[in-house]
Amino acid sequence: RAIRATVGVASLDATWICTWGEHGAFGLQTTTNRGFYEPAHKQAAVVDSLGAGDTFLATCLHELLGGSDVRRTLHIACAVAGQKVAQVGYDNLGSALAKTRLLQKQTMASEGITAENRQAV
C-alpha cells in the first residue's frame, strides 16, 4: 500500500520495486497501476546471503534495460538471488538466469504465449 500511495504524487512513468528478502519482492508499474508479487525462490540451505540484495537489483536492471516487463523481471531476479544465497560467492549466477529464461520460454510456449503478445499477459 505504501508504494501505491506514492502513485500520483509525481507524474512519473516509473517501475517501483520493493524487496522483502526471504519473502520475495513486489513491483508496481505506475502507468498501469498494476502490482506484481514474486515469492522468494527458496533454497534447501542458505549458505551465503552477502550480496543477495545487490544480485537481485543488478538482475532487475539487466532485465528492465533489456525490455522485460515487471512480472518477468521479478521472477528472474528472485531466481538469481535465490541461487546466490545457496552458494558462496558469485560464480555461475548466469546459469540461474539462463535456466529461468528457458523455463519461462517453455511455459509460455505451452500456454500459447508468443513474444509478440507477452507484454499483454
Side-chain angles (χ1 to χ4, degrees):
R1 288 188 283 180
I3 293 174
R4 285 188 190 277
T6 64
V7 174
V9 173
S11 58
L12 296 175
D13 174 7
T15 299
W16 295 73
I17 295 177
C18 180
T19 59
W20 293 331
E22 68 183 78
H23 303 291
F26 175 81
L28 176 70
Q29 181 60 51
T30 61
T31 54
T32 61
N33 199 30
R34 288 189 64 195
F36 302 93
Y37 169 72
E38 178 70 26
H41 291 222
K42 303 290 183 184
Q43 304 298 315
V46 174
V47 177
D48 178 16
S49 64
L50 184 65
D54 293 333
T55 299
F56 176 88
L57 292 174
T59 306
C60 284
L61 288 172
H62 178 267
E63 288 302 310
L64 290 170
L65 291 172
S68 290
D69 61 16
V70 178
R71 178 185 300 158
R72 178 183 168 105
T73 295
L74 291 176
H75 180 76
I76 291 175
C78 283
V80 175
Q83 181 171 331
K84 166 58 195 103
V85 301
Q87 68 182 49
V88 175
Y90 303 97
D91 291 341
N92 300 315
L93 290 180
S95 66
L97 185 64
K99 182 172 41 173
T100 302
R101 283 191 174 153
L102 178 62
L103 289 173
Q104 281 191 327
K105 283 182 183 179
Q106 291 170 343
T107 301
M108 287 171 49
S110 71
E111 294 174 359
I113 300 169
T114 64
E116 292 78 31
N117 66 13
R118 179 185 63 160
Q119 295 292 337
V121 175

